[in-house]
Amino acid sequence: MKSIIQVAGIRSLEEAQAIMACGINYLGFPLRLDIHTPDLTEEEASRIIRSLGKRCKSVLITYLNKAREITEFSEYLGTNYVQLHGPVEPEELVKIKKAKKIFIIKSLIIGSVNEKCLVENMRFEPYVDAFITDTFDPNTGASGATGLTHDWNVSKRIVEISSCPVILAGGINHTNVREAIRLVKPAGVDSHTGVEDLHGNKDPILVKKFMEETTKTFDELLNRNPEL
């Protein structure tokens, strides 16, 4: 599959359009969260997602863990892509798949549990379309949008044993994405705070640098080994 490059934490239609102009079409919308406060109202997010249409793969990032709530909310927003950070059970994922054609990305949080527990979470493989590894912040309890990196060797191990694509997140930006991709060899990368200015808005220059470094590194790996 084509490498996934996602920028999360969209705040406006103009911001979304500027990110897409850099060549990025996976945009994350964090809503109904556990720790953080959403950047947008649900109504604003729905308007933006519907305005972007099929040109963009808008991803609902949420801590919801019940199939009915997830499918109804994604329907309201107008997206078939969800990134689940909550403690969802496999049977709920089965219900989602039966109810609606949804691309499910399941988070695996590095730092909140040990590596053995993360490997055990691979039981979700039959029910999801991709995994995303992110970073736990022990000071806030947050498991995403922390701006913190984690032990990439754990993510590398997950990539090696997973039959599903694995997206790498957690403190990724244009200065470290090259090293991260070379070590972990993920199917994609995600950046949130790593492409923001001091006010939390996406910086077009940082987004462009992130995109350039990411695509360059993925191209190098593919040219070196077509099977990667």
Side-chain angles (χ1 to χ4, degrees):
M1 63 181 292
K2 187 176 181 181
S3 300
I4 295 173
I5 305 174
Q6 176 172 281
V7 168
I10 307 305
R11 290 191 167 192
S12 67
L13 177 59
E14 293 73 25
E15 187 171 271
Q17 291 171 332
I19 293 169
M20 291 179 67
C22 294
I24 296 172
N25 64 347
Y26 279 83
L27 303 186
F29 293 80
L31 296 163
R32 299 194 187 178
L33 308 175
D34 194 8
I35 299 292
H36 296 295
T37 302
D39 295 313
L40 297 169
T41 66
E42 295 174 4
E43 293 77 13
E44 289 169 335
S46 180
R47 283 197 297 270
I48 293 171
I49 290 171
R50 294 182 183 280
S51 295
L52 296 174
K54 294 183 179 180
R55 297 177 298 127
C56 173
K57 293 178 174 60
S58 298
V59 182
L60 163 62
I61 302 173
T62 185
Y63 285 79
L64 293 176
N65 58 16
K66 297 300 181 183
R68 183 173 179 179
E69 290 180 295
I70 294 166
T71 54
E72 289 181 352
F73 193 30
S74 66
E75 182 72 27
Y76 168 77
L77 293 173
T79 180
N80 292 325
Y81 291 80
V82 298
Q83 181 176 315
L84 304 178
H85 278 260
V88 62
E89 294 298 324
E91 53 264 31
E92 296 298 322
L93 299 176
V94 173
K95 291 177 184 177
I96 293 172
K97 287 295 188 181
K98 287 182 177 179
K100 188 180 178 185
K101 186 178 180 181
I102 288 182
F103 189 95
I104 299 176
I105 304 170
K106 178 68 181 73
S107 70
L108 299 175
I109 307 303
I110 315 298
S112 60
V113 293
N114 60 33
E115 185 176 352
K116 181 180 178 181
C117 290
L118 283 171
V119 172
E120 290 173 352
N121 278 335
M122 306 305 286
R123 72 185 191 280
F124 290 108
E125 279 184 295
Y127 316 108
V128 304
D129 299 285
F131 288 114
I132 185 166
T133 58
D134 212 332
T135 308
F136 178 71
D137 184 349
N139 295 317
T140 64
S143 58
T146 63
L148 303 175
T149 58
H150 56 262
D151 183 352
W152 289 337
N153 286 298
V154 179
S155 286
K156 179 182 179 182
R157 173 61 178 152
I158 292 171
V159 169
E160 291 170 346
I161 65 176
S162 175
S163 61
C164 294
V166 178
I167 303 164
L168 178 65
I172 305 296
N173 56 56
H174 74 279
T175 67
N176 62 11
V177 69
R178 192 175 185 82
E179 178 187 358
I181 293 173
R182 284 178 167 177
L183 174 64
V184 178
K185 295 182 175 60
V189 290
D190 165 278
S191 185
H192 188 150
T193 60
V195 290
E196 292 179 346
D197 61 23
L198 295 177
H199 303 288
N201 298 307
K202 297 299 179 291
D203 184 326
I205 295 176
L206 294 180
V207 173
K208 184 178 180 181
K209 288 181 177 179
F210 171 69
M211 180 63 174
E212 289 174 346
E213 289 298 310
T214 299
T215 53
K216 183 192 306 180
T217 311
F218 274 130
D219 287 345
E220 288 174 357
L221 287 177
L222 288 171
N223 290 333
R224 191 174 304 164
N225 184 351
E227 295 182 356
L228 289 176

